[in-house]
Amino acid sequence: MDLGLRGKRAFVAGSSRGLGFAIAQILMQEGCQVAINGRDEARLREAESALRRLGGASARVTAISGDVALPDVPARLLPRAAEALGGLDLLVTNTGGPPAGAFADLTEQAWREATEALLLAHVRLVRAALPFLLSSPAASVLAVTSYSVKQPIPHLVLSNSVRSATVTLMKTLALELGPQGIRFNAILPGWTKTERVEALLAARARLNGTTPAREREKIEAQIPLGRMAEPEEFARAAVFLLSPAASYITGASLVVGGGIYKGTC
Ligand SMILES: NC(=O)c1ccc[n+]([C@@H]2O[C@H](COP(=O)([O-])OP(=O)(O)OC[C@H]3O[C@@H](n4cnc5c(N)ncnc54)[C@H](OP(=O)(O)O)[C@@H]3O)[C@@H](O)[C@H]2O)c1
């Protein structure tokens, strides 16, 4: 199946590693021009070089650093991305995850920061991208959230709570802006092997007096497919939702979790 991505222009927030990087890599392989993003300039440059090496002479990737959880940053970055790419068709809204912790241990400040990164960054990225997306014949937005919005994850109350608003935001935008030709979907990763997950396993091991390997085993025992995902397995689903091949899918929330979510819808 042709995903219809050749020549499309994409901005992927939070993509110097992890899930965002995997999405950027597949978009590039499918013939997109991709702008990648992250806060750490050196890591972002490494990611840009890695994508160029993977994509060969035809690779079309540009790096735009900045913290998209800061109020004014998306409004500065998106015009730069659109200028570098010659427009914008695809937007992935993504940031790093919040700290783990029990409700009683989380401060007011932690809740504010989680709201900035997990909700308001998505709001601001979409707002800044809209003028460009409205000029695209294949405009599509994908928010990276978590399966925690459907099935709360122990010790991750910030993610469980704040991300629900982001999924509802995407659904509302799908209704509001569908008539103007823009699709909005949310993707809800399950446990996928990234640095974020290594950090969460280490935190659980400290909390429970075990090891990260033991914590991984405990999680994998709850996954019907019996293992965590590779980032590419997540990214293939994400890229499909973004692509013109998913032209009639909008307002959807797709769990990519190996069956970990046990509900029926
Ligand atoms: N991996 C999983 O199993 C899983 C499951 C459910 C949900 N999620 C969620 O999915 C998202 C991505 O996860 P991941 O595993 O890929 O995380 P990760 O390994 O920590 O990677 C996060 C990426 O985003 C960048 N980033 C973080 N905060 C940013 C910001 N404010 N502005 C711009 N770039 C930022 C990071 O680079 P810099 O640090 O240099 O900025 C990095 O490139 C997170 O919100 C995570 O909680 C992940």
Side-chain angles (χ1 to χ4, degrees):
M1 178 173 64
D2 179 4
L3 295 179
L5 284 167
R6 193 147 296 281
K8 298 289 180 293
R9 302 150 299 180
F11 179 84
V12 185
S15 52
S16 57
R17 60 189 151 101
L19 304 182
F21 181 83
I23 292 173
Q25 185 178 342
I26 296 185
L27 285 172
M28 205 186 66
Q29 287 164 353
E30 291 295 321
C32 289
Q33 297 182 62
V34 185
I36 59 169
N37 157 259
R39 292 165 300 182
D40 184 304
E41 181 81 37
R43 184 159 40 210
L44 186 65
R45 294 289 158 201
E46 274 173 37
E48 184 186 23
S49 303
L51 287 173
R52 289 228 163 95
R53 277 195 304 277
L54 290 165
S58 61
R60 287 179 296 175
V61 57
T62 182
I64 300 184
S65 65
D67 183 342
V68 299
L70 295 177
D72 299 336
V73 172
R76 277 198 279 112
L77 298 193
L78 267 297
R80 279 180 55 203
E83 191 183 348
L85 300 171
L88 191 72
D89 306 293
L90 314 174
L91 171 68
V92 177
T93 60
N94 178 45
T95 62
F103 177 76
D105 301 329
L106 292 165
T107 61
E108 178 80 10
Q109 183 61 16
W111 279 93
R112 285 188 197 284
E113 285 172 11
T115 306
E116 293 285 338
L118 303 183
L119 172 61
L120 293 175
H122 296 260
V123 170
R124 293 167 184 146
L125 283 164
V126 171
R127 190 191 288 132
L130 261 188
F132 308 105
L133 294 174
L134 285 167
S135 305
S136 164
S140 170
V141 177
L142 184 69
V144 177
T145 64
S146 169
Y147 84 95
S148 68
V149 303
K150 290 197 174 249
Q151 182 169 289
I153 304 173
H155 229 62
L156 272 176
V157 64
L158 294 172
S159 173
N160 301 343
S161 307
V162 179
R163 291 188 202 272
S164 294
T166 306
V167 170
T168 308
L169 169 72
M170 290 296 136
K171 186 75 180 178
T172 307
L173 290 172
L175 304 180
E176 215 172 293
L177 290 163
Q180 295 183 62
I182 310 179
R183 295 185 299 109
F184 290 86
N185 292 295
I187 192 156
L188 285 46
W191 291 92
T192 313
K193 296 177 197 165
T194 65
E195 285 182 34
R196 157 92 178 151
V197 163
E198 294 305 324
L200 288 177
L201 292 176
R204 284 189 177 204
R206 280 193 300 278
L207 184 75
N208 298 328
T210 61
T211 62
R214 177 66 195 124
E215 295 302 321
R216 180 187 296 273
E217 279 171 14
K218 282 160 55 179
I219 290 166
E220 289 183 337
Q222 298 166 36
I223 302 174
L225 292 184
R227 61 179 177 82
M228 293 191 181
E230 299 298 332
E232 295 72 21
E233 293 179 286
F234 163 82
R236 284 197 292 268
V239 168
F240 168 70
L241 281 178
L242 271 174
S243 76
S247 54
Y248 205 58
I249 302 178
T250 193
S253 300
L254 178 68
V255 180
V256 184
I260 193 163
Y261 168 56
K262 307 301 191 310
T264 52
C265 55

